[in-house]
């Protein structure tokens, strides 16, 4: 067995760096939801995080470790949206600059917010071009420090602070339900939760069209699916990360799937009953619970509602079924 | 000077009754909003209250003081929506039943939620009929205890617990910005805030079409306006309450007005930037701050975001300008 890329100590270290910089987001409760789920649920609302998603945690943790020289030259990132905003904001907070490689079809609100934090944006075609190659070439060419969206120990450790806070506030939890895109959030969350209590059940949630991590866990190795077409733009990835998968294959107990319609219903439930705004990816754990796809839940279960970056127009468009 | 109908002690007493029954709602912060307002703002999110609005506080405080005999006979209420749900839920919590007089054009979500808590609903025409007369006749006929939406010391004291919690969590505040409908929330809030620190500035917010409290304060007596037609259905009242006005004329420093378009913009800001759902009335303090109509704000200002009962369809319909 090889040394894991991150440990609970790395996550605690990241938490120290994020103190006073990232928001300690609220943990909401809902009697209605508890009654439907038959369990006590604790909703960690990362939609209230700075830049609207958990991504700021990992981006800032990684950026804060760059040298003064690196910060002076600037930071590069590639992202479907939330990591873009997160890196742009982290760069600004640290007095650096950012160049972000974004897909042409990224939600307009995410693109506008990224530009609003002062970042330069370079676009690519998500269905034909390779963002990693573009990002790496750009970083090499301009001498920028590349902060990947999940394939980095500092990024994964930063994301894990979210579960650490949830457990600190809610007390012991029997299970965590966490969205899975590239796998950084769930890798960090699982490391934090199982580091504190090894029998915590870790349940990942993917959109049906992007079930690469579920398939990879079943195959015991990383497999690729077609580039997913799903409303859950934060999880539209074809294959798990190498580093993240090395963690998740050890620590994730199950990955369940939700359809786009189920995600829409969960977004509406969040709006009308919880009074919070969730973007599609952020609503996937709620979808998994409301549909029962997360399975019978143990008595005390945490959900990481990972982001809320959806504008009013897109929300209205997504409403119909 | 006559004895005020409620005191800080009444609000503290109500807070004790509400403990473990009402939610202690979160106080959100937003750097974006602070930068725009030029002040530190503390957002008391009553959209996260049980039944979706602050109204549960007053309704439960009043209902909890009924005798076993009264509870056995049942409770009556008249309301444009949120008080209806609140009384229905309070009755259910106390093992009683509720009959609610609601306007025919009350938002469907509010009506459905009221029925969902097990209440019987009786409708009337808001533009031609007198809900107070209907409610009182119904209560007399069936032997029900009537809980009015604001004209009652126990209701006003219950609403004041919201400001008490806000001040407890945020620490001293220089000003409070509070929606004004019948005046119960601001009467309770002002009594709590000025009871703790007499120089706290209390700023009320009304929709332009329903400026009855502003006009009444200017006239020094209760005046009536035409039945308001505004998207802020929780504030569509023609004249202030007698009891509430007796408090508000002493304790409210200013009432400012916001237009329906400004309320729509504030709802959108809440959705896209704060990631929370506010109904029109609940967004009026935010509208007053975003437009500058609340005037230059002192360094530490609290906003009571009073409710979030708007369904996804109505939100989509309200979006356009």
């Amino acid at each position: 067995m090889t040394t894991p890329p991150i440990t609970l100590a790395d996550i605690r270290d990241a938490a120290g760096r994020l103190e006073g910089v990232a928001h300690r987001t609220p943990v909401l409760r809902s009697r209605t939801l508890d009654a439907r789920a038959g369990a006590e649920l604790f909703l960690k609302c990362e939609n209230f995080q700075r830049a609207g998603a958990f991504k700021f945690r990992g981006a800032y943790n990684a950026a804060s470790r760059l040298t003064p020289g690196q910060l002076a030259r600037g930071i590069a990132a590639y992202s479907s949206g939330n990591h873009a905003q997160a890196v742009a904001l982290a760069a600004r907070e640290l007095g650096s600059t950012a160049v972000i490689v974004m897909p042409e079809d990224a939600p307009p609100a995410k693109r506008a917010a990224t530009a609003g934090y002062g970042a330069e944006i370079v676009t690519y075609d998500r269905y034909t071009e390779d963002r990693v190659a573009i990002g790496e070439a750009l970083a090499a060419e301009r001498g920028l420090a590349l902060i990947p969206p999940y394939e980095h120990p500092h990024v994964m450790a930063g994301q894990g602070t979210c579960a650490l806070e949830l457990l600190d506030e809610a007390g012991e939890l029997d299970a965590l339900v966490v969205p899975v895109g590239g796998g950084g959030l769930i890798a960090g969350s699982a490391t934090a939760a199982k580091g504190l209590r090894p029998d915590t059940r870790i349940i990942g949630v993917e959109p049906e069209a992007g079930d690469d991590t579920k398939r990879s866990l079943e195959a015991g190795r990383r497999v690729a699916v077609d580039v997913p077409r799903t409303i859950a733009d934060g999880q539209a990835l074809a294959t798990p990360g190498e580093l993240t998968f090395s963690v998740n294959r050890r620590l994730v107990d199950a990955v369940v799937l939700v359809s786009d319609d189920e995600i829409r219903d969960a977004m509406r439930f969040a709006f009308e009953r919880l009074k919070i705004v969730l973007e599609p990816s952020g609503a996937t754990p709620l979808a998994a619970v409301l549909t029962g796809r997360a399975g019978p839940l143990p008595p005390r279960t945490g959900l990481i509602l990972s982001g809320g970056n959806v504008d009013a127009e897109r929300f209205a468009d997504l409403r119909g079924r």
Side-chain angles (χ1 to χ4, degrees), chain A:
Chain A
M1 187 168 160
T2 52
T3 312
I6 55 166
T7 64
L8 179 57
D10 295 320
I11 297 169
R12 290 202 162 118
D13 184 61
R17 287 172 177 264
L18 289 169
E19 207 175 316
V21 182
H23 286 316
R24 195 179 163 91
T25 53
V27 176
L28 292 186
R29 307 289 315 275
S30 161
R31 292 176 198 237
T32 309
L33 189 59
D34 285 4
R36 270 186 69 163
E40 276 190 276
L41 301 185
F42 297 84
L43 312 177
K44 179 66 169 168
C45 291
E46 285 292 292
N47 55 329
F48 296 134
Q49 188 49 266
R50 293 187 73 182
F54 74 96
K55 290 282 189 181
F56 180 66
R57 297 174 181 271
Y60 186 87
N61 186 46
S64 74
R65 292 161 198 271
L66 297 176
T67 64
Q70 286 177 306
L71 288 174
R73 283 191 297 279
I75 303 172
Y78 43 87
S79 163
S80 65
N82 284 336
H83 180 63
Q85 294 179 61
V87 169
L89 176 59
R92 197 185 72 179
E93 286 282 315
L94 292 160
S96 184
T97 54
V99 183
I100 312 288
V101 180
M102 294 187 87
E104 287 162 356
D105 62 350
K110 293 187 179 179
R111 190 166 163 167
T114 304
Y117 291 128
E120 179 188 337
I121 294 170
V122 174
T123 60
Y124 75 101
D125 181 343
R126 193 156 65 83
Y127 300 102
T128 60
E129 294 183 280
D130 177 0
R131 66 179 188 169
V132 180
I134 295 170
E136 284 174 354
L138 188 86
E141 199 176 290
R142 303 206 199 169
L144 307 173
L146 188 68
I147 298 183
Y150 45 89
E151 279 291 270
H152 195 292
H154 295 158
V155 174
M156 291 156 66
Q159 319 306 29
T161 60
C162 171
L164 203 60
E165 282 178 13
L166 168 57
L167 292 162
D168 182 55
E169 183 158 341
E172 286 208 359
L173 295 178
D174 306 303
L176 280 189
V177 187
V178 185
V180 181
L185 177 63
I186 197 167
S189 301
T191 302
K194 291 204 166 168
L196 290 165
R197 182 179 145 180
D199 70 344
T200 314
R201 185 168 167 79
I202 306 294
I203 304 165
V205 187
E206 288 188 310
E208 278 178 355
D211 61 345
D212 53 297
T213 292
K214 182 179 173 62
R215 287 185 194 227
S216 298
L217 289 174
E218 283 163 4
R221 60 181 172 79
R222 292 164 64 223
V223 299
V225 300
D226 291 339
V227 177
R229 294 188 185 250
T230 165
I231 61 167
D233 53 280
Q235 296 165 287
L237 294 152
T239 189
E242 197 172 324
L243 266 185
T244 54
F245 189 67
S246 76
V247 175
N248 294 334
R249 67 185 301 175
R250 287 185 301 110
L251 302 184
V252 173
D253 297 285
V255 172
V256 300
L257 305 179
V258 291
S259 71
D260 279 6
D261 278 347
E262 289 165 352
I263 295 171
R264 284 189 187 95
D265 287 346
M267 290 174 72
R268 177 191 286 262
F269 184 94
F271 183 101
E272 294 186 346
R273 305 305 298 252
L274 308 178
K275 317 296 180 189
I276 61 173
V277 177
L278 295 178
E279 63 182 279
S281 295
T284 54
L286 191 57
V289 166
L290 288 170
T291 56
R293 294 198 192 284
L297 297 172
R300 293 169 56 81
T301 295
L303 274 64
I304 298 184
L305 305 179
S306 59
N309 288 326
V310 56
D311 60 30
E313 271 66 34
R314 183 155 189 256
F315 180 79
D317 291 346
L318 288 171
R319 258 179 330 132
R321 283 197 59 163

